Amino acid sequence: MTPKSAPAAARSTVHGYPRQGPDRELKKAVEGYWKGRLTADDLRATAAELRRSTWQQLADAGLDEVPTGTFSYYDHVLDAGVMLGAIPARHRAAVDADALDGYFAMARGTQDVAPLEMTKWFDTNYHYLVPELGPDTVFAADSGKQTQELKEALALGLTARPVLLGPITYLLLAKPAPAAAEDFDPLTLLDRLLPVYAELLADLRAAGADWVQLDEPALVQDRTPAELNAAARAYRELGALVDRSKLLVATYFDRPGEALPVLAASPVEGLALDFTVEGTLDDLAAVGGLPDKRLVAGVVDGRNIWINDYEKSLATLATLLGLAGQVDVAASCSLLHVPLDAAVERDIEPQILRWLAFARQKTAEIVTLTKGLGSGTHAISAELAANRADLASRANSPLTHDPEVRARAAAVTAADTRRDQPYERRVTAQRAHLALPALPTTTIGSFPQTAELRTARADLRAGRIDTAGYEDRIRSEIKEVITFQEQTGLDVLVHGEPERNDMVQYFAEQLTGCLATRHGWVQSYGTRYVRPPVLAGDISRPEPMTVRWTSYAQSLTAKPVKGMLTGPVTMLAWSFVRDDQPLADTARQVALALRDEVEDLEAAGTTVIQVDEPALRETLPLRAAARPAYLDWATESFRLTTASVRATTQIHTHMCYAEFGDIVQAIDDLDADVISLEAARSHMQVARELAAHGYPREAGPGVYDIHSPRVPSPQEAADLLRTGLRAIPADRLWANPDCGLKTRAWPETRTSLENLVAAARTVRAELP
C-alpha cells in the first residue's frame, strides 16, 4: 500500500481586490476619457499601472497567489459578457466600431440606445449589468483580456490565478433579451456556452495558468433540481477537458448547501468556500470533506471591516485540515466590497482604528493565519496577543454599549409600529390636504452635486471658508432648485440635498455610535464610489438633522416640499455594521433615532416625508429559510420610523435597482402611502408585479433612468406612463425619475425633468 503523501504547505490568496487605486485613479481616468481629456491609450496605461501595483502590493504583503482578470473599467459581469461574445444586438454596431466605446455604451447607454439593466450583486451594494440572452444568442470566446492580464502578472514573477465568472452563475444572472419570450430560460443555453468556456480554459492554459478560478456565487442560493443538474453537467464536462488548467470553483456570500455534494463529486481540483457564514463547516462535514481536493478556506470576512478573531479562525482551519487534501487561506469573497487601507485614516481614534481591517489589513490577516496554520501558533504569538487585546477593547468600550439607548429599544411595543388610521382613511385625508393633480410629478430627492458644491464642502473642511459662508452657498443652491422645480411645473418639490455628501454618511455623521472615514471609498457601480460609514456602537440622535434646510425650502414655495430621510435598513445595508449584536437590534436603534427626526419634521410643518429604503431587497437573505425573520424586523423598523405621524402626513418610500417581485408583500407591509421604484430600464416590470400582488397604495414606477446620461424624450416618458397605467390606476400613479439626481449634470437634468412633466401633462389630458 502506497503511503499517503504529506499535505502541501498552506498557501494564502484572495479572490479579488479593490480596483480604484489609493486615490481613485481609475475613476478619474475613466471619467477623463468620457470627457475627452484622456485618450484610450492614456486610460489603458492607467489601468495597467493599477493592476501592476496591486499585484505587487499583494505579493509584497506575503500572498502566495494573486488573482488576475478581476480588474474592470466598469463591471466584471459586463466583462464576462464581452469575454463570451454575448453583445446585445442594439450595441453590436458600437462594439464593432470601437470596442472600448461600445463597452461603455452597454454600461451607460447613448442618446439613441438604452444601456443594459443594472441591479444589485446578490445581497451586496455593488451593482452589476444584467446580461441579456435569447434563443438566438451566439457565444464566441474572447480571451484577450484574461490572457493579457495573466501574462502581465506572470511577467512580474508572480504566481497568478485567473478568475472568471462561472457559466452557471452567468446564465442564472441573465434575463431574456427584449426580443425573447418573457418565459425564456437563459439556462437552456448551457450546452451552447460550455464549448466557449472550454476554449477560454485552453487559451489560459496556453498563456501559463496553472489554476483557473470559476466563481459560482449563485450556487449558494436555493436552487432547483434542474439547476443543480445543470451545474453537475457543466463541471463534469469542464472537468473532463484535457487541455485545461486545474479548476477552482468558488462559492461565497452564504453556505453552499445542496450545491456542495454536486461540486464535491465533480472532477474539478479545488473548491473555495465561505466559512464566515454559519453552516458551511456542517455542509462540508456532511459530504465527508474533500480529501482529494484543494480547499480555499474563506475565514476572513471580505464584506465587513472588523478585525478577524484569530483564535476562532485558526480553530476553523484546524478542523478543515482533517476534511480536505489541501487547505489554503483566503478572504470569504473578493475584497472589492471593502475600502483599501485603514492606515490612511487620520480622524478615527487610534484605539478604535485597531478594530478595523480594510483590504490591506485583511490581506495581512490572511498571511498571518496562513503562517499560524502552517507553522503553529507559537509563530504568531505576538499577533495573537495583540488581536486578543483589540477584541477585548472593542467588547468593553462605552461606544458599543449605551444603557439609555438599549432601554429605549427594549421598551418598544407593537403599538409603536402601527399608524393610528388605516391607509383607506389616510389617503382621503391626504388628498384633501395636498390637492394634487392626477399623475402627480416629483423627484426622488437629490439634485446635481455640482463641482461648486463639492468645492464649497472641501473649502469648509479646509478652513478656506467659514460656516456662515458655506451656509450662504447652500441657501443659494436650495433657492435655485426650488425656483427651477416651480418653473418646470413639478407638483411635490424637494430641497435638492446640496448639504449632503451621501444619503447614508450625512446621517451617520450626526448620530452617536457612528464613525466616518476620510478615504474609505467602495465601488457601488462604474465610477460611482461611496464611503460607507461605520456603525460601531449604540445609535441615537442628539439633535435634528434635516429640519432646518427642509423648513427653509418650504418657506420659498406654496407647494409641498418633501422631507428626505434614509431608512433604517438602508442605513445598515450601506454602512459597515457592528457584528457583535443581531442586525435587528441595530435596526431598531436606528429606527428610533429616525422616528425623532420624522416627528420634528412634522412639527415644523412638513406634510410629505420620504424615508428611502432602496436596500430592502438587496439585504434579503440569499436563502429562503432566513427571509421571513429578516422581513419581519426590516418592515417593523420602517414602521417604527414612520408610524407616529398624523393621518394627513403622507409617507413616501423609495427603492431602486433590485428585483422586487419576491418582496411585494414586504413592500405592502411597510404601510407607506406612496412608493417610488426603478422601472425605466425594466420597462415597468415592477408596475406589473405590484398589480399582480394587488398593491393598494400609490406608486411611482420611474420613467427616467438617471444612471445613464441620455435624456428621455417626452414621448418615451409618456409611453412608459401609459404602460404603467395598464397596471396601476390613474388615481394611484405618480410620475418620477428612477432615483436621485446627484450624479447627473444640470443640463441633462433640466431637459429630462421638463420632458417628464410634459409627458405627465400629455397623459393626464388623455385620462377620462
Side-chain angles (χ1 to χ4, degrees):
M1 182 176 181
T2 304
K4 186 176 180 179
S5 60
R11 293 169 293 186
S12 54
T13 189
V14 293
H15 296 328
Y17 206 71
R19 303 161 177 159
Q20 68 265 28
D23 194 30
R24 290 182 295 159
E25 290 87 352
L26 180 61
K27 169 187 172 68
K28 297 170 185 176
V30 170
E31 292 180 349
Y33 175 72
W34 291 343
K35 294 174 181 177
R37 294 198 296 261
L38 296 180
T39 67
D41 286 341
D42 293 333
L43 176 58
R44 294 186 182 102
T46 297
E49 174 55 27
L50 286 172
R51 291 193 295 268
R52 185 205 64 77
S53 61
T54 295
W55 292 326
Q56 195 61 61
Q57 174 197 313
L58 292 174
D60 292 345
L63 282 193
D64 299 305
E65 186 180 57
V66 302
T68 65
T70 60
F71 174 85
S72 180
Y73 287 121
Y74 203 97
D75 168 49
H76 59 270
V77 181
L78 176 59
D79 295 346
V82 173
M83 177 183 74
L84 300 170
I87 309 299
R90 66 182 181 279
H91 291 290
R92 174 58 67 184
V95 172
D96 289 344
D98 186 285
L100 186 59
D101 289 343
Y103 173 89
F104 288 128
M106 288 189 284
R108 306 172 70 228
T110 65
Q111 185 55 43
D112 300 320
V113 182
L116 290 166
E117 184 178 337
M118 186 164 62
T119 195
K120 297 296 178 68
W121 174 249
F122 297 92
D123 57 348
T124 75
N125 190 34
Y126 177 82
H127 302 65
Y128 73 93
L129 291 156
V130 182
E132 294 178 3
L133 305 176
D136 58 348
T137 297
V138 176
F139 297 110
D142 180 357
S143 62
K145 175 182 184 296
Q146 286 284 350
T147 56
Q148 174 62 32
E149 293 180 17
L150 172 63
K151 291 176 181 177
E152 290 174 8
L154 294 177
L156 296 173
L158 306 176
T159 300
R161 182 187 74 257
V163 178
L164 283 63
L165 187 62
I168 301 299
T169 294
Y170 180 76
L171 294 175
L172 290 173
L173 292 178
K175 63 176 291 184
E182 285 190 9
D183 61 352
F184 172 74
D185 182 2
L187 197 59
T188 60
L189 299 176
L190 180 62
D191 290 336
R192 197 181 303 176
L193 183 61
L194 288 178
V196 177
Y197 270 88
E199 187 175 343
L200 293 167
L201 292 173
D203 289 349
L204 287 167
R205 175 63 174 166
D210 186 27
W211 284 86
V212 172
Q213 177 173 324
L214 294 169
D215 279 3
E216 294 286 10
L219 293 181
V220 304
Q221 296 174 293
D222 300 305
R223 305 266 56 119
T224 66
E227 291 164 343
L228 292 172
N229 288 337
R233 186 168 81 255
Y235 285 100
R236 184 169 59 247
E237 292 188 19
L238 294 178
L241 295 171
V242 175
D243 187 15
R244 66 169 178 84
S245 311
K246 292 189 284 291
L247 296 180
L248 176 71
V249 180
T251 69
Y252 40 82
F253 299 146
D254 211 320
R255 64 190 299 176
E258 60 273 16
L260 187 55
V262 172
L263 296 175
S266 71
V268 303
E269 288 77 12
L271 298 181
L273 305 176
D274 182 350
F275 289 95
T276 67
V277 295
E278 291 186 11
T280 302
L281 194 57
D282 293 336
D283 291 344
L284 186 61
V287 299
L290 304 169
D292 299 317
K293 295 187 189 298
R294 175 190 184 187
L295 174 63
V296 175
V299 292
V300 171
D301 190 347
R303 293 181 54 176
N304 214 333
I305 47 77
W306 304 104
I307 57 172
N308 187 263
D309 184 333
Y310 282 166
E311 291 182 338
K312 180 179 178 181
S313 293
L314 286 169
T316 298
L317 291 168
T319 301
L320 295 176
L321 286 176
L323 292 172
Q326 165 72 28
V327 177
D328 293 334
V329 185
S332 59
C333 61
S334 172
L335 298 178
L336 171 72
H337 306 288
V338 297
L340 185 59
D341 187 7
V344 299
E345 298 297 333
R346 297 288 181 260
D347 298 334
I348 298 176
E349 183 197 332
Q351 180 56 60
I352 295 176
L353 197 61
R354 292 186 62 84
W355 305 346
L356 308 181
F358 295 176
R360 288 190 177 180
Q361 288 72 40
K362 288 181 182 295
T363 303
E365 290 179 337
I366 292 167
V367 172
T368 296
L369 289 168
T370 306
K371 184 178 180 181
L373 179 64
S375 303
T377 56
H378 66 277
I380 58 168
S381 58
E383 292 91 336
L384 281 170
N387 182 247
R388 289 189 204 101
D390 292 337
L391 292 171
S393 167
R394 182 182 172 208
N396 299 322
S397 171
L399 176 69
T400 59
H401 291 82
D402 184 327
E404 290 186 12
V405 171
R406 293 184 171 235
R408 185 186 183 195
V412 169
T413 67
D416 295 322
T417 67
R418 295 291 178 187
R419 294 184 72 173
D420 289 340
Q421 299 290 330
Y423 172 74
E424 292 75 15
R425 294 183 184 177
R426 301 195 311 259
V427 68
T428 301
Q430 290 163 16
R431 288 176 180 172
H433 180 68
L434 294 172
L436 298 173
L439 305 182
T441 55
T442 189
T443 65
I444 303 306
S446 61
F447 267 71
Q449 284 273 327
T450 63
E452 292 78 10
L453 282 173
R454 292 192 294 270
T455 298
R457 197 172 293 125
D459 287 346
L460 177 65
R461 287 196 304 267
R464 290 187 289 269
I465 59 174
D466 59 14
T467 300
Y470 173 73
E471 292 183 350
D472 284 345
R473 180 70 187 87
I474 296 301
R475 286 190 193 91
S476 175
E477 184 71 17
I478 291 173
K479 187 173 183 179
E480 181 179 340
V481 167
I482 293 293
T483 300
F484 164 73
Q485 292 174 92
E486 286 201 312
Q487 291 174 345
T488 302
L490 288 159
D491 299 307
V492 176
L493 313 188
V494 297
H495 80 288
E497 305 176 15
E499 80 286 5
R500 303 187 189 183
N501 44 16
D502 176 83
M503 65 179 289
V504 173
Q505 182 182 345
Y506 176 78
F507 293 98
E509 288 176 343
Q510 301 180 74
L511 297 172
T512 63
C514 299
L515 307 173
T517 68
R518 188 69 71 86
H519 305 285
W521 297 104
V522 177
Q523 186 180 24
S524 178
Y525 67 88
T527 62
R528 168 74 170 143
Y529 288 82
V530 295
R531 283 182 297 160
V534 181
L535 305 191
D538 288 337
I539 307 297
S540 62
R541 186 205 70 152
E543 58 186 23
M545 301 179 287
T546 67
V547 175
R548 179 186 179 195
W549 294 121
T550 304
S551 297
Y552 173 68
Q554 187 65 78
S555 73
L556 302 174
T557 178
K559 291 185 174 183
V561 175
K562 285 193 287 190
M564 300 298 307
L565 304 175
T566 300
V569 174
T570 301
M571 287 291 295
L572 268 63
W574 294 359
S575 301
F576 293 117
V577 185
R578 60 188 303 178
D579 59 355
D580 58 345
Q581 70 179 17
L583 286 174
D585 293 355
T586 305
R588 179 170 286 193
Q589 292 178 3
V590 175
L592 287 168
L594 294 173
R595 183 185 180 99
D596 294 342
E597 188 72 14
V598 167
E599 292 174 353
D600 283 347
L601 280 167
E602 186 182 56
T606 304
T607 57
V608 182
I609 301 173
Q610 181 169 310
V611 180
D612 288 343
E613 283 291 24
L616 182 70
R617 173 59 180 83
E618 79 180 45
T619 315
L620 190 71
L622 299 179
R623 293 277 180 178
R627 292 176 179 177
Y630 159 73
L631 291 172
D632 280 349
W633 67 254
T635 55
E636 178 194 83
S637 67
F638 182 90
R639 295 193 306 272
L640 181 59
T641 299
T642 58
S644 61
V645 298
R646 295 185 291 269
T648 52
T649 297
Q650 189 176 69
I651 295 294
H652 288 228
T653 190
H654 170 68
M655 299 179 188
C656 59
Y657 291 90
E659 300 295 334
F660 300 110
D662 49 2
I663 63 160
V664 176
Q665 181 58 54
I667 293 174
D668 201 344
D669 291 343
L670 296 176
D671 198 25
D673 300 305
V674 183
I675 183 169
S676 55
L677 304 107
E678 177 274 326
R681 290 198 187 190
S682 58
H683 310 289
M684 287 286 162
Q685 175 182 335
V686 70
R688 297 188 290 273
E689 292 169 345
L690 291 174
H693 173 76
Y695 185 73
R697 299 173 183 81
E698 298 180 23
V703 297
Y704 161 26
D705 173 20
I706 68 88
H707 289 79
S708 170
R710 64 187 300 272
V711 174
S713 67
Q715 181 63 43
E716 179 181 337
D719 286 344
L720 281 169
L721 276 175
R722 295 185 186 103
T723 301
L725 281 170
R726 290 196 284 270
I728 300 172
D731 64 345
R732 293 197 280 114
L733 186 68
W734 287 60
N736 47 257
D738 274 344
C739 200
L741 301 165
K742 68 179 295 183
T743 62
R744 302 269 51 95
W746 260 110
E748 67 193 72
T749 295
R750 288 191 180 93
T751 305
S752 296
L753 291 180
E754 289 165 355
N755 292 352
L756 184 152
V757 171
R761 288 172 174 167
T762 296
V763 179
R764 193 180 292 154
E766 298 168 358
L767 298 176

PDB file of all heavy atoms in Angstrom, residues 458-474:
ATOM      1  N   ALA A 458     -15.370  71.136   0.454  1.00  0.00           N
ATOM      2  CA  ALA A 458     -13.937  70.970   0.695  1.00  0.00           C
ATOM      3  C   ALA A 458     -13.339  72.228   1.328  1.00  0.00           C
ATOM      4  O   ALA A 458     -12.477  72.138   2.215  1.00  0.00           O
ATOM      5  CB  ALA A 458     -13.223  70.640  -0.616  1.00  0.00           C
ATOM      6  N   ASP A 459     -13.787  73.386   0.880  1.00  0.00           N
ATOM      7  CA  ASP A 459     -13.281  74.638   1.439  1.00  0.00           C
ATOM      8  C   ASP A 459     -13.658  74.768   2.914  1.00  0.00           C
ATOM      9  O   ASP A 459     -12.862  75.265   3.729  1.00  0.00           O
ATOM     10  CB  ASP A 459     -13.834  75.829   0.658  1.00  0.00           C
ATOM     11  CG  ASP A 459     -13.189  75.974  -0.722  1.00  0.00           C
ATOM     12  OD1 ASP A 459     -12.143  75.328  -0.953  1.00  0.00           O
ATOM     13  OD2 ASP A 459     -13.747  76.718  -1.550  1.00  0.00           O
ATOM     14  N   LEU A 460     -14.861  74.309   3.271  1.00  0.00           N
ATOM     15  CA  LEU A 460     -15.272  74.362   4.670  1.00  0.00           C
ATOM     16  C   LEU A 460     -14.387  73.445   5.517  1.00  0.00           C
ATOM     17  O   LEU A 460     -13.923  73.845   6.594  1.00  0.00           O
ATOM     18  CB  LEU A 460     -16.740  73.954   4.797  1.00  0.00           C
ATOM     19  CG  LEU A 460     -17.295  73.897   6.220  1.00  0.00           C
ATOM     20  CD1 LEU A 460     -17.311  75.294   6.849  1.00  0.00           C
ATOM     21  CD2 LEU A 460     -18.696  73.295   6.228  1.00  0.00           C
ATOM     22  N   ARG A 461     -14.142  72.238   5.020  1.00  0.00           N
ATOM     23  CA  ARG A 461     -13.294  71.314   5.778  1.00  0.00           C
ATOM     24  C   ARG A 461     -11.886  71.863   5.949  1.00  0.00           C
ATOM     25  O   ARG A 461     -11.253  71.677   6.989  1.00  0.00           O
ATOM     26  CB  ARG A 461     -13.229  69.951   5.069  1.00  0.00           C
ATOM     27  CG  ARG A 461     -14.494  69.122   5.162  1.00  0.00           C
ATOM     28  CD  ARG A 461     -14.215  67.673   4.791  1.00  0.00           C
ATOM     29  NE  ARG A 461     -13.612  67.538   3.480  1.00  0.00           N
ATOM     30  CZ  ARG A 461     -14.290  67.336   2.363  1.00  0.00           C
ATOM     31  NH1 ARG A 461     -15.616  67.248   2.388  1.00  0.00           N
ATOM     32  NH2 ARG A 461     -13.665  67.209   1.210  1.00  0.00           N
ATOM     33  N   ALA A 462     -11.406  72.533   4.905  1.00  0.00           N
ATOM     34  CA  ALA A 462     -10.030  73.034   4.943  1.00  0.00           C
ATOM     35  C   ALA A 462      -9.903  74.390   5.626  1.00  0.00           C
ATOM     36  O   ALA A 462      -8.785  74.896   5.775  1.00  0.00           O
ATOM     37  CB  ALA A 462      -9.487  73.128   3.511  1.00  0.00           C
ATOM     38  N   GLY A 463     -11.024  74.994   6.007  1.00  0.00           N
ATOM     39  CA  GLY A 463     -10.968  76.291   6.681  1.00  0.00           C
ATOM     40  C   GLY A 463     -10.833  77.467   5.743  1.00  0.00           C
ATOM     41  O   GLY A 463     -10.576  78.596   6.189  1.00  0.00           O
ATOM     42  N   ARG A 464     -11.020  77.249   4.441  1.00  0.00           N
ATOM     43  CA  ARG A 464     -10.904  78.352   3.489  1.00  0.00           C
ATOM     44  C   ARG A 464     -12.146  79.241   3.490  1.00  0.00           C
ATOM     45  O   ARG A 464     -12.083  80.394   3.059  1.00  0.00           O
ATOM     46  CB  ARG A 464     -10.637  77.802   2.081  1.00  0.00           C
ATOM     47  CG  ARG A 464      -9.249  77.192   1.925  1.00  0.00           C
ATOM     48  CD  ARG A 464      -8.965  76.809   0.476  1.00  0.00           C
ATOM     49  NE  ARG A 464      -9.750  75.658   0.044  1.00  0.00           N
ATOM     50  CZ  ARG A 464      -9.356  74.392   0.133  1.00  0.00           C
ATOM     51  NH1 ARG A 464      -8.156  74.118   0.656  1.00  0.00           N
ATOM     52  NH2 ARG A 464     -10.118  73.401  -0.287  1.00  0.00           N
ATOM     53  N   ILE A 465     -13.281  78.682   3.934  1.00  0.00           N
ATOM     54  CA  ILE A 465     -14.466  79.491   4.165  1.00  0.00           C
ATOM     55  C   ILE A 465     -15.014  79.120   5.542  1.00  0.00           C
ATOM     56  O   ILE A 465     -14.755  78.022   6.051  1.00  0.00           O
ATOM     57  CB  ILE A 465     -15.555  79.286   3.088  1.00  0.00           C
ATOM     58  CG1 ILE A 465     -15.996  77.814   3.029  1.00  0.00           C
ATOM     59  CG2 ILE A 465     -15.080  79.758   1.727  1.00  0.00           C
ATOM     60  CD1 ILE A 465     -17.172  77.579   2.088  1.00  0.00           C
ATOM     61  N   ASP A 466     -15.777  80.040   6.151  1.00  0.00           N
ATOM     62  CA  ASP A 466     -16.343  79.729   7.459  1.00  0.00           C
ATOM     63  C   ASP A 466     -17.739  79.135   7.287  1.00  0.00           C
ATOM     64  O   ASP A 466     -18.277  79.039   6.174  1.00  0.00           O
ATOM     65  CB  ASP A 466     -16.370  80.963   8.351  1.00  0.00           C
ATOM     66  CG  ASP A 466     -17.182  82.109   7.756  1.00  0.00           C
ATOM     67  OD1 ASP A 466     -17.950  81.885   6.786  1.00  0.00           O
ATOM     68  OD2 ASP A 466     -17.056  83.241   8.263  1.00  0.00           O
ATOM     69  N   THR A 467     -18.344  78.755   8.391  1.00  0.00           N
ATOM     70  CA  THR A 467     -19.654  78.112   8.341  1.00  0.00           C
ATOM     71  C   THR A 467     -20.696  79.028   7.726  1.00  0.00           C
ATOM     72  O   THR A 467     -21.551  78.586   6.939  1.00  0.00           O
ATOM     73  CB  THR A 467     -20.085  77.696   9.757  1.00  0.00           C
ATOM     74  OG1 THR A 467     -19.121  76.774  10.279  1.00  0.00           O
ATOM     75  CG2 THR A 467     -21.453  77.031   9.739  1.00  0.00           C
ATOM     76  N   ALA A 468     -20.641  80.302   8.066  1.00  0.00           N
ATOM     77  CA  ALA A 468     -21.620  81.245   7.519  1.00  0.00           C
ATOM     78  C   ALA A 468     -21.513  81.319   5.995  1.00  0.00           C
ATOM     79  O   ALA A 468     -22.537  81.336   5.285  1.00  0.00           O
ATOM     80  CB  ALA A 468     -21.424  82.623   8.139  1.00  0.00           C
ATOM     81  N   GLY A 469     -20.296  81.352   5.476  1.00  0.00           N
ATOM     82  CA  GLY A 469     -20.113  81.402   4.028  1.00  0.00           C
ATOM     83  C   GLY A 469     -20.607  80.140   3.341  1.00  0.00           C
ATOM     84  O   GLY A 469     -21.216  80.185   2.268  1.00  0.00           O
ATOM     85  N   TYR A 470     -20.357  78.999   3.972  1.00  0.00           N
ATOM     86  CA  TYR A 470     -20.817  77.732   3.413  1.00  0.00           C
ATOM     87  C   TYR A 470     -22.344  77.671   3.404  1.00  0.00           C
ATOM     88  O   TYR A 470     -22.958  77.270   2.399  1.00  0.00           O
ATOM     89  CB  TYR A 470     -20.246  76.578   4.230  1.00  0.00           C
ATOM     90  CG  TYR A 470     -20.793  75.221   3.840  1.00  0.00           C
ATOM     91  CD1 TYR A 470     -20.409  74.611   2.652  1.00  0.00           C
ATOM     92  CD2 TYR A 470     -21.697  74.565   4.668  1.00  0.00           C
ATOM     93  CE1 TYR A 470     -20.907  73.370   2.296  1.00  0.00           C
ATOM     94  CE2 TYR A 470     -22.207  73.321   4.324  1.00  0.00           C
ATOM     95  CZ  TYR A 470     -21.811  72.722   3.138  1.00  0.00           C
ATOM     96  OH  TYR A 470     -22.311  71.498   2.788  1.00  0.00           O
ATOM     97  N   GLU A 471     -22.971  78.105   4.493  1.00  0.00           N
ATOM     98  CA  GLU A 471     -24.424  78.040   4.566  1.00  0.00           C
ATOM     99  C   GLU A 471     -25.085  79.004   3.593  1.00  0.00           C
ATOM    100  O   GLU A 471     -26.170  78.718   3.069  1.00  0.00           O
ATOM    101  CB  GLU A 471     -24.880  78.291   5.999  1.00  0.00           C
ATOM    102  CG  GLU A 471     -24.477  77.148   6.933  1.00  0.00           C
ATOM    103  CD  GLU A 471     -24.977  77.331   8.352  1.00  0.00           C
ATOM    104  OE1 GLU A 471     -25.472  78.439   8.670  1.00  0.00           O
ATOM    105  OE2 GLU A 471     -24.883  76.364   9.129  1.00  0.00           O
ATOM    106  N   ASP A 472     -24.454  80.132   3.317  1.00  0.00           N
ATOM    107  CA  ASP A 472     -24.972  81.031   2.284  1.00  0.00           C
ATOM    108  C   ASP A 472     -24.999  80.325   0.928  1.00  0.00           C
ATOM    109  O   ASP A 472     -25.950  80.483   0.151  1.00  0.00           O
ATOM    110  CB  ASP A 472     -24.103  82.291   2.191  1.00  0.00           C
ATOM    111  CG  ASP A 472     -24.358  83.260   3.337  1.00  0.00           C
ATOM    112  OD1 ASP A 472     -25.390  83.109   4.029  1.00  0.00           O
ATOM    113  OD2 ASP A 472     -23.512  84.157   3.547  1.00  0.00           O
ATOM    114  N   ARG A 473     -23.955  79.532   0.659  1.00  0.00           N
ATOM    115  CA  ARG A 473     -23.901  78.793  -0.614  1.00  0.00           C
ATOM    116  C   ARG A 473     -25.009  77.743  -0.680  1.00  0.00           C
ATOM    117  O   ARG A 473     -25.632  77.548  -1.732  1.00  0.00           O
ATOM    118  CB  ARG A 473     -22.522  78.115  -0.745  1.00  0.00           C
ATOM    119  CG  ARG A 473     -22.340  77.325  -2.025  1.00  0.00           C
ATOM    120  CD  ARG A 473     -22.257  78.254  -3.230  1.00  0.00           C
ATOM    121  NE  ARG A 473     -22.239  77.515  -4.482  1.00  0.00           N
ATOM    122  CZ  ARG A 473     -23.338  77.130  -5.136  1.00  0.00           C
ATOM    123  NH1 ARG A 473     -24.537  77.403  -4.643  1.00  0.00           N
ATOM    124  NH2 ARG A 473     -23.237  76.489  -6.277  1.00  0.00           N
ATOM    125  N   ILE A 474     -25.275  77.083   0.445  1.00  0.00           N
ATOM    126  CA  ILE A 474     -26.331  76.077   0.480  1.00  0.00           C
ATOM    127  C   ILE A 474     -27.697  76.735   0.278  1.00  0.00           C
ATOM    128  O   ILE A 474     -28.544  76.232  -0.484  1.00  0.00           O
ATOM    129  CB  ILE A 474     -26.293  75.292   1.805  1.00  0.00           C
ATOM    130  CG1 ILE A 474     -24.983  74.515   1.925  1.00  0.00           C
ATOM    131  CG2 ILE A 474     -27.484  74.342   1.910  1.00  0.00           C
ATOM    132  CD1 ILE A 474     -24.728  73.518   0.825  1.00  0.00           C
TER     133      ILE A 474
END
